[in-house]
Amino acid sequence: MDGGRMRTLRFGIVGCFAFLAALTLGVGVASADAATIVALGASNTYGKGVARNQAYPAQLEAILRAKGLNVRIVNAGINGDTTEGMLQRLDRAVPNGTRAVILQPGGNDRRKGSPDRTADIQSRLSARGITVIMLANGMLHGLPHQPDGVHLTPEGYHMLAEQLASQVSGAIGR
């Protein structure tokens, strides 16, 4: 074989192994028919203070895929967001076809003197036939927090994702 054909063969084999590794690890291989779940919330949904793959939505997706579920978790968390802000961006953040929304209102409404619009968000999602899974602030108590005492550590986000896994599985019918 000449050098060009050998390089092509080598890159083809490397590419094949990379694809198989991605399938095995569940990395970026959600199919078009994957159930879309949107994590809507503030900084503890966004994953303030940790890498994107350590926030609970990314860890939850990995846990559910490891259990054989074809899911895609969209992280629609924004640091400092209020429920008013979530309501205003709801239609952009939650596309048609979304199976469930994990709603984490956070504590910014109280801190910023903003009205609590959680019920309005729930009502609009229910009207669209989307299951709402509430992530109450109480679920964060007892989990490992960063030094600020507000945001979770990577381990804390993993523990939260484990807690949510059964609720999300039930919401998508498995």
Side-chain angles (χ1 to χ4, degrees):
M1 257 189 240
D2 69 6
R5 286 181 46 195
M6 190 63 152
R7 265 191 305 278
T8 302
L9 179 62
R10 190 175 325 126
F11 287 127
I13 291 170
V14 170
C16 182
F17 279 118
F19 176 73
L20 289 174
L23 282 175
T24 302
L25 296 172
V27 177
V29 292
S31 67
D33 62 340
T36 298
I37 312 296
V38 174
L40 181 66
S43 56
N44 269 311
T45 295
Y46 175 79
K48 184 174 181 178
V50 302
R52 300 301 291 150
N53 66 340
Q54 295 174 325
Y56 92 78
Q59 293 199 50
L60 178 59
E61 181 175 304
I63 290 166
L64 294 173
R65 285 189 184 182
K67 293 180 179 191
L69 295 173
N70 187 16
V71 298
R72 181 173 72 100
I73 310 283
V74 176
N75 187 337
I78 295 179
N79 288 330
D81 206 2
T82 61
T83 55
E84 178 67 38
M86 291 175 214
L87 183 62
Q88 289 176 4
R89 65 188 175 89
L90 191 63
D91 292 333
R92 289 187 317 275
V94 181
N96 289 334
T98 298
R99 298 277 288 280
V101 168
I102 302 166
L103 179 59
Q104 185 255 325
N108 294 319
D109 288 347
R110 187 176 7 85
R111 193 171 56 79
K112 294 181 176 183
S114 181
D116 182 353
R117 303 296 301 270
T118 302
D120 297 318
I121 295 169
Q122 291 173 306
S123 177
R124 288 210 9 222
L125 291 170
S126 293
R128 292 175 56 191
I130 299 171
T131 301
V132 178
I133 299 167
M134 287 302 299
L135 195 168
N137 288 332
M139 288 184 72
L140 306 178
H141 297 302
L143 298 176
H145 282 73
Q146 297 175 39
D148 68 6
V150 176
H151 302 99
L152 299 180
T153 63
E155 178 187 4
Y157 285 123
H158 181 77
M159 294 167 73
L160 178 60
E162 288 282 354
Q163 290 177 20
L164 290 168
S166 63
Q167 289 179 282
V168 173
S169 295
I172 61 174
R174 283 200 54 195

